mmCIF file of all heavy atoms in Angstrom:
data_model
loop_
_atom_site.group_PDB
_atom_site.id
_atom_site.type_symbol
_atom_site.label_atom_id
_atom_site.label_comp_id
_atom_site.label_asym_id
_atom_site.label_seq_id
_atom_site.Cartn_x
_atom_site.Cartn_y
_atom_site.Cartn_z
ATOM 1 N N ASP A 676 0.822 -1.213 0.000
ATOM 2 C CA ASP A 676 0.000 0.000 0.000
ATOM 3 C C ASP A 676 0.856 1.264 0.000
ATOM 4 O O ASP A 676 1.863 1.341 0.717
ATOM 5 C CB ASP A 676 -0.911 0.006 1.235
ATOM 6 C CG ASP A 676 -1.920 -1.134 1.218
ATOM 7 O OD1 ASP A 676 -2.371 -1.512 0.124
ATOM 8 O OD2 ASP A 676 -2.255 -1.634 2.314
ATOM 9 N N HIS A 677 0.422 2.247 -0.796
ATOM 10 C CA HIS A 677 1.052 3.577 -0.839
ATOM 11 C C HIS A 677 2.562 3.496 -1.069
ATOM 12 O O HIS A 677 3.331 4.291 -0.508
ATOM 13 C CB HIS A 677 0.774 4.332 0.472
ATOM 14 C CG HIS A 677 -0.683 4.497 0.770
ATOM 15 N ND1 HIS A 677 -1.528 5.283 -0.003
ATOM 16 C CD2 HIS A 677 -1.453 3.980 1.765
ATOM 17 C CE1 HIS A 677 -2.751 5.246 0.513
ATOM 18 N NE2 HIS A 677 -2.737 4.468 1.574
ATOM 19 N N PHE A 678 2.987 2.567 -1.896
ATOM 20 C CA PHE A 678 4.427 2.370 -2.062
ATOM 21 C C PHE A 678 5.095 3.565 -2.746
ATOM 22 O O PHE A 678 6.245 3.909 -2.435
ATOM 23 C CB PHE A 678 4.696 1.090 -2.856
ATOM 24 C CG PHE A 678 6.149 0.755 -2.959
ATOM 25 C CD1 PHE A 678 6.844 0.280 -1.857
ATOM 26 C CD2 PHE A 678 6.828 0.932 -4.156
ATOM 27 C CE1 PHE A 678 8.197 -0.027 -1.946
ATOM 28 C CE2 PHE A 678 8.181 0.636 -4.249
ATOM 29 C CZ PHE A 678 8.862 0.158 -3.140
ATOM 30 N N LYS A 679 4.403 4.210 -3.657
ATOM 31 C CA LYS A 679 4.975 5.385 -4.323
ATOM 32 C C LYS A 679 5.327 6.461 -3.303
ATOM 33 O O LYS A 679 6.364 7.128 -3.410
ATOM 34 C CB LYS A 679 4.004 5.930 -5.365
ATOM 35 C CG LYS A 679 4.561 7.101 -6.168
ATOM 36 C CD LYS A 679 3.573 7.580 -7.210
ATOM 37 C CE LYS A 679 4.168 8.703 -8.062
ATOM 38 N NZ LYS A 679 4.512 9.889 -7.262
ATOM 39 N N ALA A 680 4.471 6.615 -2.294
ATOM 40 C CA ALA A 680 4.736 7.610 -1.252
ATOM 41 C C ALA A 680 5.987 7.258 -0.450
ATOM 42 O O ALA A 680 6.714 8.141 0.007
ATOM 43 C CB ALA A 680 3.524 7.734 -0.324
ATOM 44 N N VAL A 681 6.242 5.962 -0.272
ATOM 45 C CA VAL A 681 7.461 5.531 0.426
ATOM 46 C C VAL A 681 8.687 5.967 -0.359
ATOM 47 O O VAL A 681 9.618 6.572 0.182
ATOM 48 C CB VAL A 681 7.469 4.000 0.628
ATOM 49 C CG1 VAL A 681 8.804 3.557 1.227
ATOM 50 C CG2 VAL A 681 6.323 3.564 1.524
ATOM 51 N N ASN A 682 8.691 5.704 -1.655
ATOM 52 C CA ASN A 682 9.812 6.121 -2.510
ATOM 53 C C ASN A 682 9.965 7.640 -2.540
ATOM 54 O O ASN A 682 11.079 8.164 -2.463
ATOM 55 C CB ASN A 682 9.637 5.591 -3.926
ATOM 56 C CG ASN A 682 10.049 4.145 -4.075
ATOM 57 O OD1 ASN A 682 10.892 3.639 -3.333
ATOM 58 N ND2 ASN A 682 9.458 3.458 -5.023
ATOM 59 N N ASP A 683 8.840 8.345 -2.651
ATOM 60 C CA ASP A 683 8.890 9.805 -2.747
ATOM 61 C C ASP A 683 9.393 10.434 -1.454
ATOM 62 O O ASP A 683 10.153 11.404 -1.482
ATOM 63 C CB ASP A 683 7.505 10.364 -3.094
ATOM 64 C CG ASP A 683 7.076 10.028 -4.515
ATOM 65 O OD1 ASP A 683 7.936 9.584 -5.308
ATOM 66 O OD2 ASP A 683 5.885 10.193 -4.824
ATOM 67 N N ARG A 684 8.973 9.891 -0.327
ATOM 68 C CA ARG A 684 9.319 10.509 0.958
ATOM 69 C C ARG A 684 10.672 10.057 1.488
ATOM 70 O O ARG A 684 11.443 10.858 2.024
ATOM 71 C CB ARG A 684 8.228 10.182 1.987
ATOM 72 C CG ARG A 684 8.481 10.806 3.347
ATOM 73 C CD ARG A 684 7.377 10.474 4.326
ATOM 74 N NE ARG A 684 7.694 10.960 5.656
ATOM 75 C CZ ARG A 684 7.038 10.614 6.760
ATOM 76 N NH1 ARG A 684 6.016 9.779 6.674
ATOM 77 N NH2 ARG A 684 7.392 11.092 7.930
ATOM 78 N N PHE A 685 10.981 8.762 1.332
ATOM 79 C CA PHE A 685 12.173 8.207 1.967
ATOM 80 C C PHE A 685 13.280 7.827 0.985
ATOM 81 O O PHE A 685 14.389 7.517 1.400
ATOM 82 C CB PHE A 685 11.803 6.968 2.794
ATOM 83 C CG PHE A 685 10.863 7.253 3.923
ATOM 84 C CD1 PHE A 685 9.508 6.973 3.802
ATOM 85 C CD2 PHE A 685 11.325 7.796 5.113
ATOM 86 C CE1 PHE A 685 8.630 7.228 4.847
ATOM 87 C CE2 PHE A 685 10.465 8.046 6.159
ATOM 88 C CZ PHE A 685 9.105 7.773 6.027
ATOM 89 N N GLY A 686 12.966 7.797 -0.301
ATOM 90 C CA GLY A 686 13.965 7.430 -1.298
ATOM 91 C C GLY A 686 13.854 5.978 -1.718
ATOM 92 O O GLY A 686 13.254 5.145 -1.028
ATOM 93 N N HIS A 687 14.467 5.669 -2.861
ATOM 94 C CA HIS A 687 14.332 4.336 -3.438
ATOM 95 C C HIS A 687 15.073 3.270 -2.635
ATOM 96 O O HIS A 687 14.682 2.098 -2.649
ATOM 97 C CB HIS A 687 14.802 4.342 -4.894
ATOM 98 C CG HIS A 687 13.858 5.069 -5.810
ATOM 99 N ND1 HIS A 687 12.735 4.485 -6.340
ATOM 100 C CD2 HIS A 687 13.851 6.348 -6.259
ATOM 101 C CE1 HIS A 687 12.081 5.349 -7.096
ATOM 102 N NE2 HIS A 687 12.739 6.495 -7.057
ATOM 103 N N SER A 688 16.137 3.648 -1.946
ATOM 104 C CA SER A 688 16.843 2.637 -1.147
ATOM 105 C C SER A 688 15.960 2.133 -0.013
ATOM 106 O O SER A 688 15.953 0.936 0.294
ATOM 107 C CB SER A 688 18.157 3.190 -0.590
ATOM 108 O OG SER A 688 17.913 4.302 0.248
ATOM 109 N N ARG A 689 15.192 3.039 0.607
ATOM 110 C CA ARG A 689 14.239 2.600 1.642
ATOM 111 C C ARG A 689 13.128 1.780 1.003
ATOM 112 O O ARG A 689 12.688 0.784 1.572
ATOM 113 C CB ARG A 689 13.658 3.814 2.361
ATOM 114 C CG ARG A 689 12.583 3.462 3.411
ATOM 115 C CD ARG A 689 13.150 2.762 4.639
ATOM 116 N NE ARG A 689 13.921 3.686 5.433
ATOM 117 C CZ ARG A 689 13.392 4.491 6.377
ATOM 118 N NH1 ARG A 689 12.101 4.460 6.632
ATOM 119 N NH2 ARG A 689 14.160 5.286 7.061
ATOM 120 N N GLY A 690 12.674 2.189 -0.174
ATOM 121 C CA GLY A 690 11.662 1.405 -0.878
ATOM 122 C C GLY A 690 12.135 -0.001 -1.172
ATOM 123 O O GLY A 690 11.389 -0.972 -0.999
ATOM 124 N N ASP A 691 13.394 -0.123 -1.592
ATOM 125 C CA ASP A 691 13.962 -1.454 -1.846
ATOM 126 C C ASP A 691 13.983 -2.295 -0.571
ATOM 127 O O ASP A 691 13.693 -3.501 -0.602
ATOM 128 C CB ASP A 691 15.380 -1.339 -2.406
ATOM 129 C CG ASP A 691 15.405 -0.880 -3.855
ATOM 130 O OD1 ASP A 691 14.325 -0.842 -4.485
ATOM 131 O OD2 ASP A 691 16.503 -0.554 -4.348
ATOM 132 N N GLU A 692 14.323 -1.666 0.545
ATOM 133 C CA GLU A 692 14.363 -2.402 1.816
ATOM 134 C C GLU A 692 12.962 -2.847 2.221
ATOM 135 O O GLU A 692 12.776 -3.957 2.733
ATOM 136 C CB GLU A 692 14.977 -1.522 2.910
ATOM 137 C CG GLU A 692 15.099 -2.206 4.273
ATOM 138 C CD GLU A 692 15.944 -3.474 4.234
ATOM 139 O OE1 GLU A 692 16.797 -3.622 3.333
ATOM 140 O OE2 GLU A 692 15.737 -4.336 5.108
ATOM 141 N N VAL A 693 11.975 -2.010 1.978
ATOM 142 C CA VAL A 693 10.584 -2.398 2.262
ATOM 143 C C VAL A 693 10.217 -3.628 1.443
ATOM 144 O O VAL A 693 9.652 -4.599 1.972
ATOM 145 C CB VAL A 693 9.621 -1.230 1.963
ATOM 146 C CG1 VAL A 693 8.161 -1.726 1.914
ATOM 147 C CG2 VAL A 693 9.762 -0.135 3.009
ATOM 148 N N LEU A 694 10.556 -3.634 0.156
ATOM 149 C CA LEU A 694 10.230 -4.780 -0.697
ATOM 150 C C LEU A 694 10.947 -6.040 -0.223
ATOM 151 O O LEU A 694 10.365 -7.127 -0.202
ATOM 152 C CB LEU A 694 10.597 -4.483 -2.150
ATOM 153 C CG LEU A 694 9.765 -3.404 -2.848
ATOM 154 C CD1 LEU A 694 10.285 -3.167 -4.256
ATOM 155 C CD2 LEU A 694 8.288 -3.774 -2.874
ATOM 156 N N ARG A 695 12.210 -5.909 0.171
ATOM 157 C CA ARG A 695 12.952 -7.072 0.667
ATOM 158 C C ARG A 695 12.297 -7.636 1.925
ATOM 159 O O ARG A 695 12.149 -8.860 2.073
ATOM 160 C CB ARG A 695 14.413 -6.692 0.954
ATOM 161 C CG ARG A 695 15.308 -6.688 -0.260
ATOM 162 C CD ARG A 695 16.772 -6.590 0.112
ATOM 163 N NE ARG A 695 17.096 -5.284 0.670
ATOM 164 C CZ ARG A 695 17.568 -4.266 -0.047
ATOM 165 N NH1 ARG A 695 17.774 -4.395 -1.343
ATOM 166 N NH2 ARG A 695 17.853 -3.117 0.543
ATOM 167 N N GLN A 696 11.888 -6.753 2.834
ATOM 168 C CA GLN A 696 11.303 -7.218 4.091
ATOM 169 C C GLN A 696 9.902 -7.811 3.887
ATOM 170 O O GLN A 696 9.535 -8.785 4.545
ATOM 171 C CB GLN A 696 11.260 -6.074 5.107
ATOM 172 C CG GLN A 696 12.619 -5.596 5.574
ATOM 173 C CD GLN A 696 13.421 -6.702 6.236
ATOM 174 O OE1 GLN A 696 12.887 -7.538 6.960
ATOM 175 N NE2 GLN A 696 14.721 -6.724 5.979
ATOM 176 N N VAL A 697 9.131 -7.215 2.991
ATOM 177 C CA VAL A 697 7.805 -7.778 2.672
ATOM 178 C C VAL A 697 7.975 -9.163 2.068
ATOM 179 O O VAL A 697 7.266 -10.116 2.446
ATOM 180 C CB VAL A 697 7.029 -6.848 1.727
ATOM 181 C CG1 VAL A 697 5.787 -7.560 1.164
ATOM 182 C CG2 VAL A 697 6.611 -5.570 2.443
ATOM 183 N N ALA A 698 8.905 -9.304 1.148
ATOM 184 C CA ALA A 698 9.172 -10.609 0.528
ATOM 185 C C ALA A 698 9.605 -11.622 1.576
ATOM 186 O O ALA A 698 9.144 -12.770 1.581
ATOM 187 C CB ALA A 698 10.237 -10.471 -0.543
ATOM 188 N N ARG A 699 10.490 -11.205 2.476
ATOM 189 C CA ARG A 699 10.964 -12.113 3.532
ATOM 190 C C ARG A 699 9.809 -12.540 4.435
ATOM 191 O O ARG A 699 9.679 -13.729 4.784
ATOM 192 C CB ARG A 699 12.048 -11.427 4.363
ATOM 193 C CG ARG A 699 12.625 -12.310 5.473
ATOM 194 C CD ARG A 699 13.601 -11.555 6.346
ATOM 195 N NE ARG A 699 12.996 -10.400 6.964
ATOM 196 C CZ ARG A 699 12.223 -10.447 8.064
ATOM 197 N NH1 ARG A 699 11.945 -11.608 8.628
ATOM 198 N NH2 ARG A 699 11.711 -9.345 8.560
ATOM 199 N N ALA A 700 8.952 -11.594 4.813
ATOM 200 C CA ALA A 700 7.811 -11.916 5.680
ATOM 201 C C ALA A 700 6.907 -12.958 5.037
ATOM 202 O O ALA A 700 6.423 -13.882 5.706
ATOM 203 C CB ALA A 700 7.016 -10.644 5.992
ATOM 204 N N MET A 701 6.686 -12.834 3.736
ATOM 205 C CA MET A 701 5.797 -13.783 3.061
ATOM 206 C C MET A 701 6.467 -15.136 2.834
ATOM 207 O O MET A 701 5.838 -16.177 3.023
ATOM 208 C CB MET A 701 5.300 -13.187 1.742
ATOM 209 C CG MET A 701 4.351 -12.021 1.950
ATOM 210 S SD MET A 701 3.347 -11.637 0.487
ATOM 211 C CE MET A 701 4.617 -11.193 -0.682
ATOM 212 N N THR A 702 7.736 -15.129 2.426
ATOM 213 C CA THR A 702 8.402 -16.416 2.179
ATOM 214 C C THR A 702 8.584 -17.199 3.475
ATOM 215 O O THR A 702 8.508 -18.430 3.471
ATOM 216 C CB THR A 702 9.763 -16.215 1.485
ATOM 217 O OG1 THR A 702 10.552 -15.287 2.237
ATOM 218 C CG2 THR A 702 9.584 -15.700 0.076
ATOM 219 N N GLU A 703 8.806 -16.509 4.585
ATOM 220 C CA GLU A 703 8.930 -17.202 5.871
ATOM 221 C C GLU A 703 7.589 -17.707 6.367
ATOM 222 O O GLU A 703 7.528 -18.684 7.119
ATOM 223 C CB GLU A 703 9.569 -16.281 6.907
ATOM 224 C CG GLU A 703 11.044 -16.013 6.658
ATOM 225 C CD GLU A 703 11.682 -15.110 7.695
ATOM 226 O OE1 GLU A 703 10.942 -14.595 8.568
ATOM 227 O OE2 GLU A 703 12.910 -14.924 7.639
ATOM 228 N N THR A 704 6.506 -17.058 5.944
ATOM 229 C CA THR A 704 5.153 -17.481 6.354
ATOM 230 C C THR A 704 4.633 -18.599 5.457
ATOM 231 O O THR A 704 3.841 -19.441 5.896
ATOM 232 C CB THR A 704 4.189 -16.279 6.305
ATOM 233 O OG1 THR A 704 4.716 -15.236 7.135
ATOM 234 C CG2 THR A 704 2.802 -16.651 6.808
ATOM 235 N N ALA A 705 5.084 -18.624 4.210
ATOM 236 C CA ALA A 705 4.617 -19.639 3.253
ATOM 237 C C ALA A 705 5.112 -21.027 3.663
ATOM 238 O O ALA A 705 6.124 -21.168 4.337
ATOM 239 C CB ALA A 705 5.122 -19.301 1.848
ATOM 240 N N ARG A 706 4.368 -22.044 3.228
ATOM 241 C CA ARG A 706 4.816 -23.408 3.471
ATOM 242 C C ARG A 706 5.673 -23.865 2.294
ATOM 243 O O ARG A 706 5.693 -23.227 1.231
ATOM 244 C CB ARG A 706 3.615 -24.340 3.617
ATOM 245 C CG ARG A 706 2.843 -24.449 2.331
ATOM 246 C CD ARG A 706 1.766 -25.480 2.323
ATOM 247 N NE ARG A 706 1.220 -25.548 0.963
ATOM 248 C CZ ARG A 706 0.250 -26.342 0.597
ATOM 249 N NH1 ARG A 706 -0.322 -27.142 1.455
ATOM 250 N NH2 ARG A 706 -0.178 -26.343 -0.654
ATOM 251 N N GLU A 707 6.360 -24.965 2.493
ATOM 252 C CA GLU A 707 7.141 -25.532 1.400
ATOM 253 C C GLU A 707 6.200 -25.931 0.265
ATOM 254 O O GLU A 707 5.167 -26.550 0.484
ATOM 255 C CB GLU A 707 7.928 -26.749 1.888
ATOM 256 C CG GLU A 707 8.887 -27.308 0.865
ATOM 257 C CD GLU A 707 9.708 -28.473 1.403
ATOM 258 O OE1 GLU A 707 9.626 -28.751 2.606
ATOM 259 O OE2 GLU A 707 10.413 -29.101 0.593
ATOM 260 N N GLY A 708 6.542 -25.558 -0.941
ATOM 261 C CA GLY A 708 5.693 -25.852 -2.095
ATOM 262 C C GLY A 708 4.911 -24.654 -2.584
ATOM 263 O O GLY A 708 4.463 -24.631 -3.735
ATOM 264 N N ASP A 709 4.698 -23.641 -1.718
ATOM 265 C CA ASP A 709 4.060 -22.402 -2.161
ATOM 266 C C ASP A 709 5.071 -21.597 -2.974
ATOM 267 O O ASP A 709 6.264 -21.596 -2.669
ATOM 268 C CB ASP A 709 3.589 -21.571 -0.961
ATOM 269 C CG ASP A 709 2.493 -22.264 -0.159
ATOM 270 O OD1 ASP A 709 1.848 -23.181 -0.703
ATOM 271 O OD2 ASP A 709 2.295 -21.887 1.013
ATOM 272 N N LEU A 710 4.608 -20.890 -3.992
ATOM 273 C CA LEU A 710 5.491 -20.097 -4.848
ATOM 274 C C LEU A 710 5.230 -18.619 -4.635
ATOM 275 O O LEU A 710 4.125 -18.141 -4.892
ATOM 276 C CB LEU A 710 5.258 -20.437 -6.323
ATOM 277 C CG LEU A 710 6.163 -21.507 -6.935
ATOM 278 C CD1 LEU A 710 5.888 -22.862 -6.276
ATOM 279 C CD2 LEU A 710 5.947 -21.592 -8.418
ATOM 280 N N VAL A 711 6.250 -17.913 -4.150
ATOM 281 C CA VAL A 711 6.146 -16.471 -3.953
ATOM 282 C C VAL A 711 6.955 -15.789 -5.053
ATOM 283 O O VAL A 711 8.148 -16.031 -5.202
ATOM 284 C CB VAL A 711 6.673 -16.048 -2.566
ATOM 285 C CG1 VAL A 711 6.525 -14.539 -2.382
ATOM 286 C CG2 VAL A 711 5.941 -16.798 -1.447
#
């Protein structure tokens, strides 16, 4: 949500970190066999 605002306010490096952490949260929550 509101990802453009994250990039605009905090910069693309923070946006990249948000994407990495969101991906990590989902892959750690997924079971083996799920594709993220």
Side-chain angles (χ1 to χ4, degrees):
D676 296 326
H677 302 293
F678 185 72
K679 184 179 183 298
V681 174
N682 280 333
D683 291 347
R684 181 179 174 193
F685 297 101
H687 289 277
S688 61
R689 177 70 71 86
D691 286 350
E692 181 59 24
V693 166
L694 292 177
R695 278 192 291 266
Q696 293 301 322
V697 168
R699 181 185 58 80
M701 291 198 298
T702 53
E703 289 181 354
T704 304
R706 66 172 186 181
E707 187 177 353
D709 295 341
L710 266 66
V711 181

